[in-house]
Amino acid sequence: MVAILFDLDGTLTDPKVGITTCIQYAIRQLGNQPPTTDELLWCIGPPLTTSFAKILQTEDRGLIDRAISLYRDRFSTMGLFENVLYPEIPETLAAIRAEGYQTYIATSKPHVYAQRIVEHFGLSELFDGIYGSELDGTRSIKGELIRHILLAENLDAKTTVMIGDRSHDTIAAKQNQVFAIGVTYGYGSAEELSNNGADMIANSPKDILPLIPFKL
């Protein structure tokens, strides 16, 4: 059984507006001046706990949790739809499915939001499962999430591929002995991806299928 795991933010969709605006909202509600949109692009991908700890320069879990709660106040109603599909994504997913590969979402985003986003873009039928973190932060670390998916779906790591745009995607793949394809059309550079374990680099969605090393 060959399975392809897809990151969501920066790989299937461009969530720039929604994520950065919701972070700015949360910081402003806490009484601080938020960074600019461009200064927050690094926040697309990592868990929110990591991002807010760095932005607020704190390890106070209570403050971080408050920031995340404020973020979700806006994200759950508006932010998750301030999002666009990258060009060629539906066609790429359909082509991969047509070849007989199983496909899953593997995102640090809470799965309740990931599910709504996938449904919003009409992609539900192109995935065998949607996996993300829990609202309490469980499995927000990508390595733990991939391990969970492998066990839950009885997948063989040796015939599984992780596709993502940031270093934490490729690092997590290697932690689980999974083949990693890094994509450069998202928010990570080829250098970031290659330096952190990417086996192959795709510069556009249509480049992904030819790079999958496991043939059915």
Side-chain angles (χ1 to χ4, degrees):
M1 184 183 302
V2 178
I4 316 299
L5 312 182
F6 283 92
D7 175 45
L8 181 58
D9 294 340
T11 300
L12 299 179
T13 72
D14 183 350
K16 175 181 175 180
V17 174
I19 288 178
T20 58
T21 302
C22 290
I23 290 175
Q24 290 167 333
Y25 170 81
I27 298 299
R28 200 172 287 116
Q29 291 299 110
L30 290 172
N32 300 318
Q33 180 64 33
T36 66
T37 297
D38 286 343
E39 291 171 337
L40 290 173
L41 296 184
W42 64 271
C43 297
I44 298 174
L48 283 174
T49 51
T50 301
S51 298
F52 278 120
K54 185 173 180 179
I55 294 168
L56 296 169
Q57 297 184 319
T58 184
E59 295 182 4
D60 181 342
R61 188 57 198 238
L63 179 58
I64 293 169
D65 286 347
R66 175 62 177 152
I68 292 174
S69 178
L70 289 166
Y71 172 97
R72 288 175 176 164
D73 285 345
R74 188 183 185 283
F75 188 82
S76 63
T77 56
M78 298 173 61
L80 77 169
F81 299 127
E82 294 171 328
N83 198 354
V84 295
L85 278 179
Y86 284 112
E88 304 172 344
I89 286 299
E91 296 85 353
T92 295
L93 290 171
I96 290 171
R97 296 281 292 183
E99 290 293 324
Y101 296 107
Q102 289 194 314
T103 51
Y104 299 90
I105 295 284
T107 176
S108 294
K109 184 186 298 299
H111 68 81
V112 293
Y113 298 147
Q115 183 82 42
R116 291 175 64 190
I117 291 168
V118 171
E119 290 174 355
H120 173 71
F121 287 116
L123 301 179
S124 298
E125 293 184 356
L126 295 174
F127 290 99
D128 293 289
I130 299 172
Y131 286 87
S133 64
E134 301 297 329
L135 290 170
D136 66 1
T138 301
R139 290 189 291 275
S140 62
I141 304 301
K142 188 62 70 78
E144 297 174 3
L145 178 67
I146 291 177
R147 190 174 307 114
H148 172 71
I149 297 171
L150 294 174
L151 291 171
E153 297 291 341
N154 194 29
L155 303 177
D156 184 349
K158 295 182 178 63
T159 54
T160 298
V161 179
M162 177 68 209
I163 299 171
D165 70 311
R166 300 307 303 267
S167 60
H168 63 274
D169 296 308
T170 53
I171 290 170
K174 296 297 102 178
Q175 288 173 339
N176 289 280
Q177 292 77 54
V178 166
F179 191 89
I181 297 176
V183 301
T184 59
Y185 56 82
Y187 288 89
S189 66
E191 181 180 23
E192 172 187 336
L193 294 161
S194 296
N195 289 346
N196 288 282
D199 295 292
M200 302 292 284
I201 298 292
N203 295 312
S204 70
K206 64 181 173 55
D207 294 336
I208 293 172
L209 180 55
L211 296 179
I212 295 173
F214 312 115
K215 305 306 177 186
L216 298 176

